[in-house]
Amino acid sequence: MNMVTRTLISVLLAAAAAVTAHGDHDEQHVIAGPHQGLWYNTLPGDGGTQADSVFSGISTFGRLPYAPCLAHKDINYDIAFIGAPFDTGTSYRPGARFGPSGIRQGSRRLNLYGGYNVPLETNPFDSWAKVLDCGDIPVTSYDNTFALHQIEEGHYSILSRAPKTDAHKKGPSLAGKTLPRVITLGGDHTITLPLLRSINRAYGPVTVIHFDSHLDTWRPKVFGGSPSDVASINHGTYFYHASQEGLLRNDTNIHAGIRTTLSGPSDYENDGYCGFEIVEAREIDIIGTEGIIKKIRDRVGEKNPVYLSLDIDTLDPAFAPATGTPETGGWSTRELRTILRGLEGINLVAADIVEVAPAYDTNAEHTTMAAADALYEIMSIMVKKGPLSVLDIEPAKETSDL
Ligand SMILES: [Mn+2]
């Protein structure tokens, strides 16, 4: 073994040891060293930067341990947060490339008191699951085609490795393996197309729950005018492409929170062809959060693998002003969080949050805080469900490259 190899191995071992120590709940409260008297914030939920107070230190989602997962294939986890800072598919206000860093800033206080979720009776920061923040996928802002390729490959690298828990048990992927869950921080909504392409490689077609004020199934000639193939893939058309590419399970998908204007009633018709049912935001006045939850659960069923995509513009701009295409008449943060918690028990395999553009936020960080809290509910239902090995799903037929 030469010097370079030895040095490389010792660096990798040190990195692996650091990750293990942070992920291990028994060890993380043991602080040793000459300055241990300075450290005080060691609550159970505090995921790894425990030497810092919540308002200091380097930001990760919920102060989870950071690990360079894209650079090191041997780092494992059960849930990974990964950023996709892409915003060159927007039709109106750009700025969602700062979404990942903004959401992390907004999430700093999530586990100040330990992170226990009272209504769900679980602590996603202190459970069976090893949860990491894997940083961001490198994304070019100069070439959309290349950027979408980067996002698909980056996501697939995070998705397609063995999880920390139940790695050797059978799971619901096409290859019969158990995989980790991935939560992606966008980015404008275009990113959901490469994310679903990655998901499709692992699971085949999936069922999508799409929270948004907009349909995003528009045909390119209706949305954006489609002057080129590159322009035809944008944050209003990606679900049209996903449907055309066979990434969605037929007639199991649902939008929730819709209140956009249309080019005409044919947009709803086209949406149906793409495999979606629609829950409009205003339905909450009649059927309440319970009725909305029931509609979603009835549509997605018990046996489908589910992907959840959350556009922050689902929320009313009073609660989340910092987004590319805000629409008034949306749900409150309380209503959205109740609806998300109502999805407990579904076969959630992965999720994203998109369209957070922090430059338009209030000084009080309304939007990034709302985004972080919504993700906290999503993370909680993932943890409460258990590892993906426990999922009872109807598999797709295709073969896998896993
Ligand atoms: Mn939207």
Side-chain angles (χ1 to χ4, degrees):
M1 198 186 308
N2 66 28
M3 189 66 177
V4 176
T5 314
R6 260 202 305 272
T7 311
L8 187 64
I9 287 172
S10 60
V11 166
L12 285 174
L13 285 174
V19 167
T20 308
H22 281 168
D24 186 323
H25 299 297
D26 295 329
E27 283 175 47
Q28 74 180 16
H29 309 305
V30 181
I31 295 174
H35 303 297
Q36 58 183 298
L38 297 174
W39 296 328
Y40 67 97
N41 191 29
T42 56
L43 282 163
D46 194 329
T49 49
Q50 67 269 63
D52 301 313
S53 45
V54 291
F55 44 81
S56 67
I58 295 163
S59 290
T60 59
F61 185 82
R63 298 163 47 72
L64 287 164
Y66 164 73
C69 313
L70 283 173
H72 300 290
K73 194 77 180 154
D74 57 334
I75 296 173
N76 66 8
Y77 37 78
D78 296 304
I79 300 175
F81 285 85
I82 183 87
F86 170 95
D87 67 1
T88 42
T90 48
S91 55
Y92 195 54
R93 307 197 298 201
R97 71 182 63 181
F98 296 101
S101 55
I103 295 165
R104 290 186 179 107
Q105 282 288 101
S107 72
R108 284 167 293 174
R109 205 175 55 88
L110 278 181
N111 49 20
L112 173 60
Y113 315 120
Y116 182 74
N117 190 322
V118 174
L120 286 174
E121 301 178 321
T122 192
N123 188 339
F125 292 102
D126 193 11
S127 74
W128 62 270
K130 178 179 170 186
V131 192
L132 295 180
D133 188 328
C134 291
D136 292 347
I137 300 168
V139 178
T140 181
S141 51
Y142 302 114
D143 179 337
N144 280 11
T145 304
F146 192 78
L148 299 193
H149 179 68
Q150 288 175 302
I151 293 167
E152 178 183 341
E153 292 306 321
H155 185 269
Y156 193 67
S157 165
I158 302 295
L159 177 72
S160 60
R161 66 185 73 180
K164 172 85 162 47
T165 307
D166 285 359
H168 304 296
K169 287 196 186 164
K170 262 183 82 65
S173 72
L174 288 175
K177 292 180 179 171
T178 297
L179 300 177
R181 291 178 173 96
V182 183
I183 298 177
T184 308
L185 313 173
D188 78 48
H189 223 147
T190 315
I191 68 165
T192 300
L193 181 61
L195 299 179
L196 285 173
R197 286 171 175 164
S198 163
I199 292 285
N200 185 65
R201 285 158 69 178
Y203 292 101
V206 290
T207 293
V208 169
I209 301 174
H210 172 222
F211 288 96
D212 205 318
S213 62
H214 308 99
L215 296 173
D216 297 359
T217 51
W218 280 287
R219 285 165 294 158
K221 66 176 181 190
V222 174
F223 193 98
S226 191
S228 70
D229 288 346
V230 176
S232 81
I233 297 176
N234 60 57
H235 78 158
T237 63
Y238 62 91
F239 271 140
Y240 172 81
H241 292 283
S243 162
Q244 293 286 305
E245 291 178 22
L247 310 180
L248 311 176
R249 287 202 170 194
N250 288 340
D251 298 324
T252 58
N253 312 288
I254 190 160
H255 308 288
I258 300 297
R259 56 191 185 280
T260 178
T261 55
L262 304 173
S263 73
S266 64
D267 290 355
Y268 269 18
E269 214 171 290
N270 175 64
D271 191 70
Y273 293 138
C274 292
F276 282 90
E277 182 182 320
I278 297 169
V279 177
E280 293 183 322
R282 59 199 158 94
E283 290 183 51
I284 204 167
D285 297 331
I286 316 235
I287 62 175
T289 51
E290 283 306 309
I292 306 262
I293 291 164
K294 183 173 184 320
K295 274 194 159 186
I296 297 172
R297 297 187 75 108
D298 287 351
R299 175 71 170 174
V300 306
E302 307 276 323
K303 300 267 187 176
N304 293 309
V306 177
Y307 185 86
L308 192 158
S309 184
L310 171 57
D311 187 327
I312 198 68
D313 72 26
T314 306
L315 292 172
D316 191 271
F319 298 90
T323 190
T325 45
E327 307 283 353
T328 61
W331 294 336
S332 70
T333 313
R334 186 187 68 247
E335 289 160 346
L336 178 65
R337 291 182 66 171
T338 297
I339 293 165
L340 289 171
R341 286 194 302 270
L343 302 180
E344 185 194 337
I346 61 165
N347 293 327
L348 197 52
V349 297
D352 65 49
I353 188 161
V354 296
E355 300 284 352
V356 175
Y360 313 107
D361 213 355
T362 66
N363 290 342
E365 302 176 304
H366 275 107
T367 313
T368 55
M369 198 167 56
D373 286 355
L375 286 175
Y376 170 68
E377 303 292 7
I378 291 169
M379 186 184 167
S380 296
I381 63 173
M382 285 178 170
V383 164
K384 203 160 176 197
K385 179 77 179 179
L388 289 184
S389 59
V390 307
L391 261 55
D392 176 21
I393 73 167
E394 204 85 53
K397 301 284 185 287
E398 292 89 333
T399 52
S400 163
D401 60 354
L402 273 175

